[in-house]
Amino acid sequence: MDVSPKKAADWLTADADVQDRKLRQSWVSQLASDMENGKFLVTHQAIAFDEDGHRIDGHHRLEAIV
């Protein structure tokens, strides 16, 4: 699934109670650069949600998309 910047932002703000690890801006910048330059590798890691629809993985990837 392709994720637009708007959808990424929506997912980031949907759960105010999500306890994300500390955002590393340098990693977000690297991911964003890789995405822009066609160097982002698709792997088994994804944006993950639990059975209740709460985001549980993908914070840095979503920030990079935004």
Side-chain angles (χ1 to χ4, degrees):
M1 153 185 244
D2 289 335
V3 178
S4 69
K6 181 185 180 329
K7 179 54 102 177
D10 289 347
W11 284 342
L12 284 166
T13 58
D15 286 320
D17 296 333
V18 169
Q19 293 295 324
D20 290 310
R21 69 174 105 164
K22 184 177 179 184
L23 187 71
R24 294 184 315 162
Q25 190 57 51
S26 62
W27 182 234
V28 171
S29 295
Q30 181 63 54
L31 288 171
S33 176
D34 288 349
M35 289 174 186
E36 290 173 346
N37 295 310
K39 295 181 180 180
F40 182 77
L41 299 176
V42 177
T43 69
H44 66 286
Q45 292 181 305
I47 310 306
F49 301 88
D50 68 13
E51 59 275 356
D52 295 320
H54 302 287
R55 182 179 42 82
I56 57 174
D57 193 17
H59 181 215
H60 285 81
R61 291 181 294 276
L62 289 171
E63 291 285 353
I65 292 168
V66 171

